[in-house]
Amino acid sequence: MPASVFAPWNDPSEKPLIRFRNVTKRFGDFTAIDDLSLDIFEREFFALLGPSGCGKTTMMRMLAGFESPSDGSIELAGQDIVSVPPNKRAVNMMFQSYALFPHLTIWDNIAFGLRRDKRPKLDIADRVEEMLKLTRLEKFARRKPHQISGGQRQRVALARSLAKAPKLLLLDEPLGALDKKLRQDTQFELMDIQEKTGTTFVIVTHDQEEAMTVASRVAVMDEGRLIQVATPDAIYEAPNSVYVADFIGDVNIIAGIASSTGPGRYKIAWREDQAPFVAMSDKPFSEGAECYLAIRPEKVQISAQKPDEAANTVQGTVLDIAYLGNISTYIVELANGTQIKAQIANTRRISNRSFTWEDTVWLSWSDTAGILLDG
Amino acid sequence: MTRLSWFNVTSLTLGFAFLYLPMVILVIFSFNESRLVTVWAGFSTKWYGELLGNEAFLDAAWVTLKVAVFSSTLATVLGTMAAYVLVRGRRFPGRTLFSGMIYAPLVMPEVITGLSLLLLFIGIGLDRGVMTIVLAHTTFAMCYVSVVVSSRLMTFDRSLEEAALDLGCSPFEAFRLVTLPIIAPAVISGWLLAFTLSLDDLVIASFAAGPSATTLPIKIFSAVRLGVSPEINALSTIMIAIVTVGVITASLISKQNAVRQQRDEQTAARTA
Ligand SMILES: Nc1ncnc2c1ncn2[C@@H]1O[C@H](COP(=O)(O)OP(=O)(O)O)[C@@H](O)[C@H]1O
Ligand SMILES: [Mg+2]
C-alpha cells in the first residue's frame, strides 16, 4: 500500500481526532444541527461547505466550546469535551470578524494566548517571532490592528490562533473579507502553513471553489445535516445527490425514468418525442424508478454535424454564449425547451469561433460522462 | 456656512447670560477687596487666604473630597458590574425589572431618595457621618455610571471576549485584560461624572449627614443663611473650577472615545 496517500478516513484502525456522535443543537424550537455524526482525522484540512444559515458556524462554536450540543457528544482525541470550557480546550479559533484586540499591538495580540499559559518570557518571544515570520508580519509587530490592512489583519488573526500550537484550528470563513486575488494567495499560504505545522484545520466556507482548493475532505451541509462527506474530486465527480451536484460547480440535471438495459447500464426516458439517454451507473435503479441524470457542462461536446459514435446525442439551437476568457459556456435550447449547458475551451480567437447565436448544433456525451442520481 | 443673524446672536447672548452671568458675578466678587458683596473695591486674593485659615470650611472640604472619591469609586465598581450583567448576562428572571429599576434613581426626586435613605439609616441604626454620605452618594451616582458604561458595552464586539476565552483566559481574565481596557474611557468618564455629582450634591447629603460630618455644600448653604461673605464666593469659585475641569475632562474622554470607535468601525467596514 502506498504510504504517500493521505486518507486516514479509509483506514479503520485510525482513531479520529474529532468525533461528533449524533449531535443535535436546538435554539429554542429551531433545530440548527440535526442528529449529525462526523469523524475528522488528525492533520486533515477539513472543509464545511453549505449555504448561509445551514449551521456551519454553530458546528465551529460547539468545537470551540461557545455552544454545547442539546444532544449527543463531541470527542476530541478520544475525550468527551462537551463539559470542558473554551479556555481549557486545546482548540483555537480564527474568528470570522478576526476579533483582534484593538488596544494591543500585533506582537501582544499574538503573545496573548502564550502569556495565559505562563510560559517563560523568552519562550514567548521566540514563539511570537516565529509566528510573525510564518505569516510575514515582522515589519508590523509594533503596530495596532487599526494601522494595518485587511489582509494583514487576517494574517494576524491566523498567527494568533496558531501561536499556541493547538491540536485543532478552526477557521470560520477566514477569507471572506479578501478580494479574489488575495484570497487565492492566502489559500495557498494556508495550505502551506497547514503542511508545515501539521495542525488539523477545520475551515468553514460558503465558497465551493475555496473548499475544493484547500481541503482534504469536504462536508456539504444543508439545514443542519450532512449531505455528503468526501474528497473534493469525489464530491465533484461522484456527487451523491442532486443537491450536492448542483451546489458544487455547474451541472445539467435531466429528470427521467430509468430502465435497465444490461449490467450497470440504464436507459433514461426523459421525453416521449426524444430518444432515451444511456448512462452507466454503479448504483442500482429498479425498473421504472425516477432518476436524475447529472452531466457537467465540460463533458458535453458541441458539433455542427451529428457525431457518429457518441452514446447520447441531441439537437438544439444556441440560445446564449457566455465568454469567460479561457472557456465559453454555450446554452443550447432543445426543441422541447429544455436548456443544456456545454463548455468548451477557447483555443481559438473569438472571431474564429464556429458557432454563434441561433445556430443549430448537436450536443453529445458518452455513457460514462453523466452520473445517475435518485434525488 | 450660514452667517450668524442678529436673531441668533441675541438668543445666544441671552442664553449664555442666563446660564453664566450669576457665576461670573460670583467669581468676580470673590476677588473683591471689600467685605461688602455688592461694592467693588479693587482686586485682591485675600479671601482665598482667609479661607485657608477657616477650620470649619477646611474640614467640610476634606469631608466632601473623601466622600466624592470613595462614593464615585464605589459607584463606578458597582455601576460597571451592573451594566456588564445587564448587557452581557443571560436572560434571568426579572431582568427587565432590574434594568428598569437601575435607572429609577435618575428620575426620582432627590428629596425622596434622601428621605428614604435617612429612614433606612435610622431603621438599621447606622450613625450618620462620612460613611452614610458615601453610601447615599454611591446609591444615586451608581445609576449614572451604569448608564454611561452600558451604552458603551452595547456596541462592544462580543467576539473579542470569546477570542480571549478561546486563547485561554478565564471569564474574569477576559474581562480584566480585554473588556475593561477597551471600555476604560467610558468607565473613567463615569467616575468623573459620579465625582462631580457627589461634590455638588446638597439635598441628599443633608439627609445623610450627621453632626459629625458636614459637606461643603451643606456648610455653604447654612453659612449663606447668615449672610453672603466674600469667603463663600472664593470657596464657590474653587468648586466651580473643580467641577468644570471634571465635566470637561469627562466629555473630552467620551468624545475621544467616540472618535476612536468611529474610526475602528470604519476600518472594520472597509474590510467587510
Ligand atoms: N444563538 C442563536 N440563537 C438562535 N438561533 C441561532 C443562534 N445561532 C445560530 N442560530 C441559527 O442557527 C442557524 C445556523 O446558523 P449558523 O451556524 O450561524 O449558520 P452558517 O452556516 O451561516 O454559519 C441559523 O438559522 C441561525 O439563525
Ligand atoms: Mg457563519
Side-chain angles (χ1 to χ4, degrees), chain B residues 35-80:
Chain B
R35 173 158 275 282
L36 294 170
V37 182
T38 44
V39 184
W40 181 257
F43 181 85
S44 148
T45 54
K46 75 172 179 199
W47 301 115
Y48 287 87
E50 215 142 291
L51 197 58
L52 284 178
N54 187 328
E55 285 287 324
F57 276 141
L58 284 184
D59 275 354
W62 180 232
V63 168
T64 309
L65 196 66
K66 268 197 297 200
V67 167
V69 168
F70 281 121
S71 70
S72 57
T73 307
L74 208 57
T76 303
V77 172
L78 292 175
T80 304

Side-chain angles (χ1 to χ4, degrees), chain A residues 59-130:
Chain A
M59 293 275 286
M60 296 294 236
R61 291 176 61 80
M62 286 196 289
L63 280 173
F66 300 127
E67 304 282 1
S68 52
S70 316
D71 260 318
S73 69
I74 303 173
E75 285 170 20
L76 180 71
Q79 283 190 325
D80 193 328
I81 53 167
V82 167
S83 56
V84 181
N87 49 324
K88 301 268 160 55
R89 297 190 183 192
V91 174
N92 284 134
M93 175 143 162
M94 180 178 161
F95 287 74
Q96 198 164 356
S97 60
Y98 305 154
L100 299 180
F101 304 129
H103 59 301
L104 300 178
T105 62
I106 303 312
W107 206 99
D108 289 326
N109 261 281
I110 298 175
F112 191 88
L114 301 168
R115 294 205 171 115
R116 303 286 80 71
D117 288 352
K118 311 261 181 300
R119 300 198 199 185
K121 268 211 166 63
L122 283 178
D123 282 11
I124 293 177
D126 284 351
R127 183 70 182 157
V128 173
E129 295 300 331
E130 196 183 330

